[in-house]
Amino acid sequence: MYRRLGISLYPNHSQFETDLKYIKSAKTYGFDRIFMSMLEIDDGKSNTINRFNKIIKEAKKLDYEVILDIAPDVLELLGASYDDLSIFKNIGADGLRLDAGFDGKKEAMITFNTYDLIIELNMSNNVAYLDNIMTHQPNTPFLYGCHNFYPQEGTGLPLEFFEECSKRFKKYGLKTAAFVSSQFGEVGPWDINDGLPTLEMHRDLPIDVQAKHLFATGHIDDVIIGNGYATEEELKNLGKLNRYQIEFTVEFDTEINPIEKEIILDNQHFRRGDITSRMVRSTEVRKKYTDKNEPHTNQLTFKKGDVVIGNSNFGKYENELQIVLEEHTDSRKNLVGRIIDEEIILLDYIEPWTKFRFIESTNNKYNTRRIING
């Protein structure tokens, strides 16, 4: 399924001019959807409608998909209902994220609303809620799933639970979304904002690593920045992200030679189908590169995340690229670089035949001076 990037806006806690600047900036980096919180009405129906309509109108000029996060009490205050959603179409929204659950039959019926509004469900529950909805034959092209975000440190989802919840939605081929957190954003829906990720393990990670991980799980189609406002650099880093295969950020050893660097950066890699637990093997490159590769940086212990390439003492395996999974020594391999620590978690998603690539770190601090058994 097509993968997208998104941002979040909180019009009840922000200024129109700031939001407008933000959505324009994000659009230049390839962002396509907006999560917009409408969980409270603090200055009356008319003012609220005008405020949201104003920024949504600008978002639609930029071809964003806009989904409003709503609660039942908001519907009542706006004079709307799940049987009459016309007010949200008039505001300009493309869809609604339901904060409340019904009996399954009701949700299925809402997906057939006459305004073609997308209906987005809460994914952060590992129960048979979705199965019940699906038995009532919803209009699936208009049914999405989106995880929660968690403003309080320590309350985000654990990875295993997140995966179990997500699989329920992917089983039906529905579009899914989850949140990452800017390390600089301070705007959210509540007065507590320790970041707004879906996964607790992401809270303190760089935003692009968070997104890489969500895409790597295979469970998430849309990655949304939960808090506002991400910095220009964060938006840029997400915009450069490969959404469809893992690209490891690698720091190079100072002794790497030009051919080794070309092998790493200029080739499409994939893991052999007959896998080993010791390393990820990319073997096609050894057929392509027949240059003699002299030994260097080979008298040490290889650690998980190290990138090694066979040297001239390795016979037919010379110039084969490997990513180390288990600690070992082998002087027939040159240590050429290392995957940055934050991305070691991505190795769990390199399965038989998985495609992957490398990009060079812009902040190369790597020192490979490790001694065998030292």
Side-chain angles (χ1 to χ4, degrees), residues 117-244:
L117 290 170
I118 296 159
I119 302 301
E120 194 166 60
L121 306 175
N122 178 8
M123 289 178 61
S124 298
N125 292 291
N126 190 22
V127 294
Y129 171 59
L130 177 61
D131 296 326
N132 187 30
I133 294 173
M134 297 305 291
T135 62
H136 290 92
Q137 298 294 313
N139 191 12
T140 53
F142 292 87
L143 186 64
Y144 289 9
C146 181
H147 277 283
N148 286 338
F149 51 55
Y150 297 91
Q152 182 189 158
E153 183 180 2
T155 62
L157 300 183
L159 180 59
E160 184 178 359
F161 182 78
F162 161 85
E163 291 183 331
E164 291 171 353
C165 298
S166 302
K167 287 175 183 177
R168 290 182 177 275
F169 281 74
K170 293 311 293 181
K171 177 176 69 172
Y172 293 109
L174 301 181
K175 179 173 281 294
T176 59
F179 293 93
V180 294
S181 184
S182 164
Q183 296 304 317
F184 303 92
E186 298 179 347
V187 180
W190 315 122
D191 55 356
I192 297 297
N193 187 355
D194 301 330
L196 291 177
T198 291
L199 281 166
E200 185 61 34
M201 65 187 294
H202 285 171
R203 195 172 297 274
D204 298 317
L205 289 177
I207 197 169
D208 54 327
V209 176
Q210 298 175 52
K212 281 187 179 185
H213 187 213
L214 287 179
F215 284 138
T217 68
H219 302 315
I220 299 302
D221 303 308
D222 293 349
V223 169
I224 307 169
I225 304 173
N227 49 354
Y229 299 93
T231 65
E232 191 84 7
E233 183 178 6
E234 287 181 315
L235 295 175
K236 182 179 179 180
N237 287 340
L238 285 177
K240 294 189 299 184
L241 200 66
N242 190 326
R243 306 176 197 179
Y244 297 99

Side-chain angles (χ1 to χ4, degrees), residues 34-137:
I34 296 174
F35 169 90
M36 194 174 294
S37 177
M38 199 180 195
L39 293 179
E40 57 185 29
I41 295 179
D42 56 7
D43 62 350
K45 174 181 175 180
S46 179
N47 288 337
T48 297
I49 290 175
N50 290 338
R51 184 187 310 117
F52 277 80
N53 179 250
K54 187 177 182 181
I55 189 62
I56 292 174
K57 188 175 182 179
E58 296 300 322
K60 296 309 297 179
K61 290 179 182 178
L62 297 170
D63 202 29
Y64 278 104
E65 179 182 270
V66 180
I67 295 183
L68 297 177
D69 192 26
I70 62 170
D73 58 335
V74 170
L75 286 176
E76 184 176 345
L77 289 171
L78 291 176
S81 72
Y82 290 113
D83 296 315
D84 181 8
L85 302 174
S86 57
I87 190 170
F88 300 108
K89 187 66 174 181
N90 293 337
I91 290 175
D94 296 291
L96 304 175
R97 186 175 188 269
L98 303 185
D99 188 59
F102 299 98
D103 60 358
K105 180 180 179 181
K106 182 68 171 180
E107 287 93 336
M109 186 62 71
I110 296 172
T111 64
F112 286 92
N113 67 85
T114 57
Y115 307 103
D116 290 334
L117 290 170
I118 296 159
I119 302 301
E120 194 166 60
L121 306 175
N122 178 8
M123 289 178 61
S124 298
N125 292 291
N126 190 22
V127 294
Y129 171 59
L130 177 61
D131 296 326
N132 187 30
I133 294 173
M134 297 305 291
T135 62
H136 290 92
Q137 298 294 313

Side-chain angles (χ1 to χ4, degrees), residues 10 16 22 78 83 104 115 124 147 185 210 232 300 304 315 337 342 348 369:
Y10 301 92
F16 169 77
Y22 188 48
L78 291 176
D83 296 315
Y115 307 103
S124 298
H147 277 283
Q210 298 175 52
E232 191 84 7
L300 40 68
K304 183 176 181 178
E342 297 91 339
D348 293 339
R369 301 299 158 215

